[in-house]
Amino acid sequence: MYDFNNIYQPKTIEEALKMKSEHPEALILAGGSDILIQVRDGKLAGCDVINIQPLNELRGICVEDNGSILIRPLTSFSHITKNPIIEKFLPALGFAVDQIGGPQIRNIGTIGGNICNGVTSADSASTLKAYDAVLEIASVDGIRLLPYADFSKGPGKVDLKGNEILTGIRVPKESYENTYGEYMKYSVRRAMDIATLGCSVNVRLTDDKKSIDRVRIAYGVAGPTPMRVPTAEKLGNGKVITEQLITDIAEAALTDVKPRTSWRASKEFRMQLIKELCKRSLRTSIKKAGGTI
Amino acid sequence: MAKQLITVTINNKLTELYVDPRESLADMLRNDLKLTSVKHGCDVGECGACTVVIDGENFDSCIYLAIWADGKSITTVEGLASLEGELADIQQAFVDDGAIQCGFCTPGFIMSTLPLLNVEEDLSREEIKKQVSGNFCRCTGYTNIINAIEHTREKIKNDRDSDK
Ligand SMILES: Cc1cc2nc3c(=O)[nH]c(=O)nc-3n(C[C@H](O)[C@H](O)[C@H](O)COP(=O)(O)OP(=O)(O)OC[C@H]3O[C@@H](n4cnc5c(N)ncnc54)[C@H](O)[C@@H]3O)c2cc1C
Ligand code: FES
Ligand code: FES
């Protein structure tokens, strides 16, 4: 038996928002693959939860009139990977979430839970950062839109008020159009392991495919939260593609990151991964975009 | 906590029962329905011993609330053999290939294989391994388990071809 103090069971999003405003301390229970583990562990024993898992309105993926891709937060990782819209326009995200845990975790874990837990190793986080995702956050007072870039507040901390629920994740058309990306996860085991380091890169090339028009690079576990590396991106934008440029971008990434030593890996090893995974994902992204190096 | 009525199809049988909202699906299947093929290993989603199939996908029932199963269709190993007691192909293959030693992990592995047994396209050994990568076995060393899955897929393919 899970040690919940109370379990609130909304039938609609409106009811869920009302419950969240009346019980701001209650945790949103989505797929439960973080919360249920911590309840068992004792860390969250005796908590109150709002069970949104059955709310199918919060599930699914569509393309909106303006071309934005809208991912509802309860969409499971396996449904993201299999989704034809994701396969066509955002395959890097489909691949990233296919690296999470094992099949059972990918069938229950939700993308909303993956970013709301605020964990730096979350496998979807770097790709969503690298594609400038915009979050839709709802409360009884209405909806606000927040760039995902401004969501992380520190390890395990995100910009969600007590009365708020994440209701959507959007990737604007301008962000994915003509853009090709790659996610690389370094972990000790190939399955059922958290990233030692994750790197997500995407590029848009100029029409002649000789130069980088725009490059975006984001990491997991390179600092306390998932992060972009603006110095490296600025250095790459508008430059002719050469092997030297790729090395320069990867070197520049090192100036923006703050990895730590943990039991999984030393800071020095993570610095090496930050450079190497950047180069590899950059080369792959450029090739996918039709460029040559 | 007040119990809640749920309606769920279990091994093709429509079942109504009252469950505690704090109860895991693993507890419901084992304690309320005596489907003890569902094992408690780690109880935190790491080992796959509690795996069941829900609406065609494999889930760890230890980290799945019983109330979430309302309206869904669940398969456990108890639902595989024929009414006369004849084993399903995948069960027979586990026996024939020596894919079982202590047997604790076996029901979970078999459940994880179900979603890919009828996939018609060819699957590499790596793809098969990926499908069972959330299931741990401490005895067999996995090789015979993967062999059993491959042999079952071959048999199903041959049966399908001879039907055509
Ligand atoms: C065995 C195992 C392996 C794992 N491997 C990986 C891995 O390789 N990579 C990885 O990234 N993660 C991994 N995880 C962690 C976990 O699966 C993911 O973080 C998952 O995305 C959590 O989502 P959930 O919906 O299941 O979680 P929940 O526990 O339901 O939610 C997680 C957090 O987000 C909050 N939340 C959820 N949805 C919303 C919402 N819509 N609005 C507001 N707040 C919300 C919850 O309140 C909670 O704080 C693993 C977990 C397990 C058990
Ligand atoms: S008992 Fe459920 S995964 Fe181990
Ligand atoms: S046969 Fe013993 S754990 Fe797999």
Side-chain angles (χ1 to χ4, degrees):
Chain A
M1 207 74 90
Y2 281 100
D3 185 2
F4 303 135
N5 178 42
N6 263 312
I7 174 162
Y8 302 105
Q9 308 218 43
K11 298 262 179 316
T12 60
I13 300 180
E14 289 68 35
E15 260 181 56
L17 293 172
K18 196 158 162 281
M19 287 170 176
K20 192 80 178 95
S21 77
E22 284 161 9
H23 310 282
E25 74 300 332
L27 299 168
I28 295 295
L29 180 65
S33 61
D34 287 321
I35 290 182
L36 295 180
I37 312 306
Q38 291 180 32
V39 171
R40 276 262 197 267
D41 214 26
K43 270 186 243 153
L44 284 178
C47 64
D48 292 348
V49 292
I50 300 176
N51 172 28
I52 64 166
Q53 167 69 215
L55 299 185
N56 283 330
E57 323 161 66
L58 286 177
R59 213 169 249 120
I61 300 173
C62 66
V63 181
E64 296 181 304
D65 289 346
N66 64 3
S68 288
I69 295 171
L70 169 62
I71 306 174
R72 291 294 183 194
L74 286 185
T75 316
S76 68
F77 299 125
S78 58
H79 286 203
I80 291 173
T81 304
K82 281 191 293 210
N83 183 277
I85 296 169
I86 299 295
E87 281 180 336
K88 185 157 180 219
F89 299 114
L90 268 181
L93 181 66
F95 179 81
V97 299
D98 201 33
Q99 309 310 306
I100 291 172
Q104 293 95 321
I105 298 296
R106 294 195 286 271
N107 284 336
I108 194 67
T110 72
I111 189 158
N114 204 227
I115 62 175
C116 288
N117 67 19
V119 174
T120 184
S121 60
D123 278 300
S124 70
S126 44
T127 303
L128 290 175
K129 285 246 148 113
Y131 276 92
D132 291 312
V134 178
L135 307 183
E136 176 188 291
I137 296 169
S139 72
V140 281
D141 303 327
I143 284 179
R144 67 179 171 116
L145 299 179
L146 178 77
Y148 181 35
D150 302 332
F151 189 57
S152 312
K153 291 286 170 216
K157 289 207 185 69
V158 294
D159 184 4
L160 272 181
K161 299 187 189 70
N163 65 348
E164 290 181 326
I165 299 179
L166 175 74
T167 51
I169 302 166
R170 281 193 180 77
V171 177
K173 187 171 186 193
E174 191 272 335
S175 178
Y176 67 79
E177 209 175 24
N178 299 321
T179 299
Y180 298 83
E182 172 81 358
Y183 176 69
M184 283 189 183
K185 171 177 182 171
Y186 183 97
S187 52
V188 178
R189 294 184 91 250
R190 257 197 291 161
M192 302 299 283
D193 199 2
I194 300 292
T196 303
L197 199 98
C199 174
S200 190
V201 169
N202 62 72
V203 297
R204 188 175 63 199
L205 303 185
T206 51
D207 290 343
D208 64 6
K209 310 232 181 272
K210 293 221 158 52
S211 304
I212 295 178
D213 181 31
R214 175 183 68 191
V215 57
R216 293 174 295 183
I217 306 164
Y219 289 101
V221 210
T225 61
M227 53 157 63
R228 289 273 286 272
V229 284
T231 313
E233 293 179 9
K234 238 174 264 156
L235 190 135
N237 286 336
K239 299 274 168 60
V240 176
I241 300 163
T242 59
E243 191 54 46
Q244 184 59 44
L245 178 71
I246 290 170
T247 307
D248 292 346
I249 293 173
E251 290 283 347
L254 295 175
T255 58
D256 290 327
V257 295
K258 279 198 271 341
R260 285 201 321 182
T261 293
S262 73
W263 65 268
R264 257 178 233 282
S266 66
K267 177 181 170 185
E268 289 72 20
F269 183 49
R270 287 208 165 91
M271 289 299 260
Q272 173 66 22
L273 288 172
I274 287 164
K275 203 162 79 177
E276 192 55 36
L277 294 193
C278 178
K279 286 195 224 169
R280 292 186 192 182
S281 336
L282 200 48
R283 282 192 206 109
T284 315
S285 303
I286 290 171
K287 280 182 196 145
K288 283 184 188 168
T292 44
I293 302 157
Chain B
M1 213 173 266
K3 288 202 173 187
Q4 205 171 308
L5 181 68
I6 65 168
T7 308
V8 40
T9 305
I10 296 171
N11 296 329
N12 289 323
K13 207 172 131 219
L14 196 65
T15 313
E16 284 194 326
L17 74 167
Y18 283 92
V19 295
D20 190 301
R22 295 167 299 181
E23 196 171 344
S24 71
L25 180 61
D27 280 338
M28 176 188 111
L29 294 170
R30 284 184 63 86
N31 302 342
D32 303 343
L33 298 166
K34 309 297 174 214
L35 296 171
T36 50
S37 74
V38 181
K39 302 300 180 205
H40 281 297
C42 64
D43 258 0
V44 288
E46 295 277 353
C47 75
C50 64
T51 306
V52 299
V53 170
I54 306 174
D55 289 349
E57 297 179 345
N58 56 327
F59 288 88
D60 293 324
S61 61
C62 69
I63 52 169
Y64 193 98
L65 294 185
I67 51 172
W68 290 349
D70 192 22
K72 306 236 152 91
S73 176
I74 298 177
T75 308
T76 70
V77 159
E78 286 85 347
L80 294 187
S82 72
L83 290 176
E84 294 76 41
E86 195 191 336
L87 295 183
D89 291 340
I90 184 71
Q91 293 174 295
Q92 191 59 52
F94 265 64
V95 174
D96 296 343
D97 274 302
I100 307 172
Q101 286 184 27
C102 80
F104 190 81
C105 70
T106 312
F109 264 96
I110 288 187
M111 285 299 115
S112 279
T113 67
L114 291 193
L116 55 70
L117 289 184
N118 292 305
V119 170
E120 292 201 17
E121 67 201 66
D122 289 338
L123 296 177
S124 66
R125 229 175 139 82
E126 283 306 309
E127 285 169 310
I128 291 173
K129 282 186 191 170
K130 187 179 168 200
Q131 175 66 16
V132 292
S133 62
N135 290 80
F136 287 178
C137 175
R138 297 292 80 166
C139 304
T140 66
Y142 300 103
T143 306
N144 290 345
I145 293 178
I146 309 299
N147 291 346
I149 302 169
E150 283 191 327
H151 291 148
T152 309
R153 279 180 46 81
E154 273 162 34
K155 176 166 190 300
I156 291 173
K157 183 171 188 286
N158 290 339
D159 291 352
R160 194 166 47 225
D161 289 348
S162 60
D163 281 351
K164 275 180 190 160

